Amino acid sequence: MSFFALTIMGLGVLSLFAEHDIISVPRLGQLPGVVGMVLAVLVFALALWAVLADARPSFVATVFLALGAALVHLGGVWGAAVAEGAGAVGATAAAGQLVLGGASAVIVVAALIAAWVAIALRRTAARAPHWPWEDDDDL
């Protein structure tokens, strides 16, 4: 969830400061962006789950998780744009806008942060806080 939240926040801030839409291809709706984001979140979550299966996962995995999420996002946007009728040229223009406009960089950074935090929590064996009044001994 942190990857999704960081990405949405980052893309919103990017769109706000750049003063233009993330994808602005004529006759292209919101579907490609939604499909790309859903696929990126799914792939990120599944890959992170596999990485966290190790008792002491490596932080090097963050790079591969981030690049994988960004590439799957691009592929999802491209494929959905073609399916929506934009054609190969329009779909490539949309993907190019993501890369050149900085949206793909936002996705990479969000994935790096989310993956690093998840791996750090796994390596430290962090647990939920436990308060003294939660003990069953007092009953």
Side-chain angles (χ1 to χ4, degrees), residues 7-107:
T7 301
I8 296 302
M9 187 257 330
L11 292 175
V13 169
L14 175 66
S15 179
L16 177 70
F17 286 122
E19 295 182 355
H20 63 80
D21 294 333
I22 299 295
I23 300 174
S24 58
V25 174
R27 296 181 314 275
L28 195 61
Q30 295 179 352
L31 182 66
V34 171
V35 169
M37 196 65 225
V38 167
L39 291 175
V41 168
L42 286 175
V43 166
F44 178 81
L46 291 173
L48 183 61
W49 181 56
V51 167
L52 294 179
D54 186 15
R56 196 149 168 87
S58 172
F59 286 107
V60 174
T62 59
V63 174
F64 298 107
L65 289 165
L67 291 176
L71 290 174
V72 166
H73 180 260
L74 281 175
V77 167
W78 191 90
V82 169
E84 196 173 274
V89 173
T92 304
Q97 287 176 1
L98 291 172
V99 173
L100 298 175
S104 291
V106 168
I107 292 170

